[in-house]
């Protein structure tokens, strides 16, 4: 018999699948073995006949802990119990981080996403799903705030986002708390793995989870989680509105582009809000598949100033060697051949 905990999780999954039209398809489920991913997998297994879906487990062994190989074996056994295929891969994340000169958290996140996307492509699955919860959303928003962020950062993680041209990343549990997840698993007597690295204070997210958020709840606002989630909801609505305007404006411009350059007329942009101009520039980067990781809010603002001529400079150097140049009524953005 269903309990409120199982009802909440299965209802969230059902509602999201109906809203997005997820039916009669294969989907890749990112499973670490932790409570969140086990609950997501269990819920999808419960609904597979109802929605005619074919879940495929994707498990990445990060080789960060001595227990990593045992955890991979545990996930494989879970797949057998649920009669679901399992695809595993082991990658030395420490070495990848050193090679890329990026942080361990960022490297692990990027490698994991690439792994799941690759499986989806190989298995012709159009959905990759991961088990981010409301707690993860709160931590993400707070992390963005601490680093400095714009509207997109305040909006947190979206329920869906594109992964390439034919695949979508799906986060169906963003309305479900970690407490609800664990209650769901206990009600069904389902075990899960505990990742000891989630207690490691070297990682920023862990310090936010175990130090900053408890302090904010105790000393400032017991409802700080709900407050941050409301900010995310409002920011997401605003961001979508601004993005729609920016895309429409970009489509109306007389623009020419190659793989490494974009040129557009700027007359229609005079008097436009810098907020919309910044978002239009972000959309250009998306369409050109140019790297955005090093583009800060400052860079986007400089670019907007150049476009609408509030900057005295007629050229601007940007990360990754990109160069923006204003010539009378046109702006040209070029990336060096690499």
């Amino acid at each position: 018999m269903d309990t409120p905990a199982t009802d909440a999780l299965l209802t969230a999954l059902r509602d999201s699948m109906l809203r997005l039209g997820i039916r009669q398809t294969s989907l890749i489920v990112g499973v670490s073995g932790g409570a969140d991913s086990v609950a997501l997998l269990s819920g999808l297994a419960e609904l597979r006949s109802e929605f005619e879906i074919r879940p495929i487990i994707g498990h990445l062994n990060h080789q960060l802990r001595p227990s990593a190989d045992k955890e991979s074996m545990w996930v494989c056994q879970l797949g057998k119990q649920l009669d679901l295929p399992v695809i595993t891969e082991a990658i030395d994340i420490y070495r990848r981080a050193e090679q890329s000169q990026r942080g361990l958290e960022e490297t692990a996140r990027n490698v994991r996403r690439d792994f799941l996307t690759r499986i989806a492509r190989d298995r012709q699955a159009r959905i990759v799903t991961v088990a981010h919860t409301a707690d993860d959303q709160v931590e993400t928003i707070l992390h963005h705030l601490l680093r400095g962020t714009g509207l997109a950062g305040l909006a947190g993680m979206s329920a869906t986002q594109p992964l390439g041209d034919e695949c979508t990343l799906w986060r169906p549990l963003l309305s479900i708390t970690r407490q609800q997840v664990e209650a769901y698993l206990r009600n069904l007597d389902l075990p899960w793995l505990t990742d000891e690295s989630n207690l490691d204070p070297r990682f920023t997210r862990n310090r936010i989870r175990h130090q900053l958020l408890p302090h904010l709840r105790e000393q400032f606002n017991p409802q700080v989680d709900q407050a941050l989630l409301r900010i995310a909801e409002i920011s997401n609505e605003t961001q979508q509105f601004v993005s729609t305007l920016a895309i429409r404006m970009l489509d109306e411009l007389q623009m020419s582009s190659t793989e490494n350059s974009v040129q557009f007329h700027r007359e229609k942009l005079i008097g436009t809000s810098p907020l919309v101009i910044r978002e239009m520039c972000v959309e250009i980067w998306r369409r050109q598949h140019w790297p955005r990781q090093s583009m800060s809010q400052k860079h986007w603002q400089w670019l907007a100033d150049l476009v609408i001529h509030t900057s005295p400079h007629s050229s601007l150097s940007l990360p990754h060697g990109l160069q923006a140049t204003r010539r009378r009524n046109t702006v040209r953005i070029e990336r060096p051949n690499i």
Side-chain angles (χ1 to χ4, degrees), residues 14 32 113 116 140 173 194-195 209 222 254 256:
R14 272 197 187 95
S32 65
R113 183 170 296 187
L116 295 173
T140 297
L173 301 186
T194 299
D195 181 354
R209 179 180 300 176
Q254 291 182 348
S256 61

Side-chain angles (χ1 to χ4, degrees), residues 24-251:
Q24 295 179 328
T25 184
S26 296
L27 48 87
I28 308 302
V29 189
V31 179
S32 65
D36 300 343
S37 62
V38 171
L40 172 62
L41 182 67
S42 172
L44 291 172
E46 176 73 18
L47 298 175
R48 59 182 150 179
S49 296
E50 181 179 340
F51 286 87
E52 300 179 73
I53 55 172
R54 300 175 295 280
I56 300 168
I57 299 171
H59 173 78
L60 183 65
N61 179 345
H62 294 77
Q63 299 186 325
L64 293 175
R65 302 181 306 280
S67 59
D69 290 341
K70 289 183 179 179
E71 291 169 359
S72 293
M73 293 173 62
W74 189 91
V75 171
C76 289
Q77 186 60 36
L78 176 64
K80 287 182 181 179
Q81 291 171 6
L82 295 174
D83 192 26
L84 294 173
V86 183
I87 300 174
T88 65
E89 189 170 308
I91 295 177
D92 189 336
I93 298 297
Y94 271 123
R95 180 173 295 179
R96 285 290 182 91
E98 289 176 354
Q99 291 172 345
S100 64
Q101 297 183 332
R102 297 188 182 277
L104 202 59
E105 289 177 285
E106 181 183 359
T107 302
R109 184 170 58 249
N110 292 339
V111 169
R112 184 167 55 248
R113 183 170 296 187
D114 289 345
F115 164 66
L116 295 173
T117 304
R118 181 160 29 91
I119 296 175
R121 185 177 61 248
D122 293 345
R123 292 299 182 102
Q124 297 183 320
R126 61 185 182 91
I127 302 289
V128 169
T129 182
V130 291
H132 292 128
T133 64
D135 296 71
D136 295 312
Q137 182 76 298
V138 168
E139 293 158 12
T140 297
I141 296 162
L142 197 48
H143 195 184
H144 290 167
L145 275 170
L146 294 173
R147 291 187 303 178
T149 187
L151 267 179
L154 286 177
M157 295 178 286
S158 58
T160 61
Q161 74 182 75
L163 286 178
D165 295 330
E166 299 180 356
C167 189
T168 298
L169 180 65
W170 177 42
R171 299 183 179 98
L173 301 186
L174 287 178
S175 64
I176 301 297
T177 66
R178 195 167 289 133
Q179 186 177 21
Q180 288 175 305
V181 162
E182 294 185 3
Y184 167 85
L185 294 173
R186 283 193 294 269
N187 286 334
L188 296 179
D189 198 26
L190 291 173
W192 69 87
L193 301 175
T194 299
D195 181 354
E196 60 269 24
S197 70
N198 286 334
L199 300 174
D200 191 337
R202 291 178 299 172
F203 299 123
T204 304
R205 183 174 286 272
N206 289 344
R207 295 198 300 276
I208 290 172
R209 179 180 300 176
H210 300 297
Q211 298 174 22
L212 181 55
L213 272 169
H215 179 70
L216 292 174
R217 293 176 190 127
E218 181 180 345
Q219 297 295 327
F220 293 91
N221 181 2
Q223 304 299 318
V224 66
D225 298 63
Q226 290 81 354
L228 288 168
L229 290 172
R230 283 196 300 274
I231 288 172
E233 185 176 356
I234 294 167
S235 299
N236 185 51
E237 290 175 354
T238 308
Q239 176 67 28
Q240 288 183 14
F241 175 73
V242 173
S243 295
T244 299
L245 285 179
I247 291 171
R248 186 183 304 159
M249 182 168 290
L250 187 57
D251 289 340

Side-chain angles (χ1 to χ4, degrees), residues 242 246 249 264 266 268-284 300-301 303-308:
V242 173
M249 182 168 290
F264 56 87
R266 48 183 289 277
K268 293 182 181 180
L269 303 177
I270 306 302
T272 302
S273 165
L275 175 61
V276 178
I277 300 292
R278 290 197 301 269
E279 188 61 31
M280 191 195 78
C281 292
V282 172
E283 179 63 21
I284 289 174
W300 297 120
Q301 184 59 53
L303 192 51
D305 291 342
L306 181 79
V307 170
I308 58 180

Side-chain angles (χ1 to χ4, degrees), residues 251-318:
D251 289 340
E252 290 176 357
L253 296 176
Q254 291 182 348
M255 190 177 79
S256 61
S257 65
T258 66
E259 183 179 354
N260 293 312
S261 71
V262 167
Q263 181 169 298
F264 56 87
H265 293 277
R266 48 183 289 277
E267 298 100 320
K268 293 182 181 180
L269 303 177
I270 306 302
T272 302
S273 165
L275 175 61
V276 178
I277 300 292
R278 290 197 301 269
E279 188 61 31
M280 191 195 78
C281 292
V282 172
E283 179 63 21
I284 289 174
W285 257 247
R286 287 195 192 100
R287 294 183 182 188
Q288 293 295 117
H289 303 291
W290 290 340
R292 286 182 286 149
Q293 295 89 338
S294 300
M295 288 287 290
S296 67
Q297 185 73 5
K298 175 181 65 178
H299 291 115
W300 297 120
Q301 184 59 53
W302 286 351
L303 192 51
D305 291 342
L306 181 79
V307 170
I308 58 180
H309 210 161
T310 55
S311 168
H313 305 290
S314 59
S315 64
L316 175 64
S317 295
L318 297 165

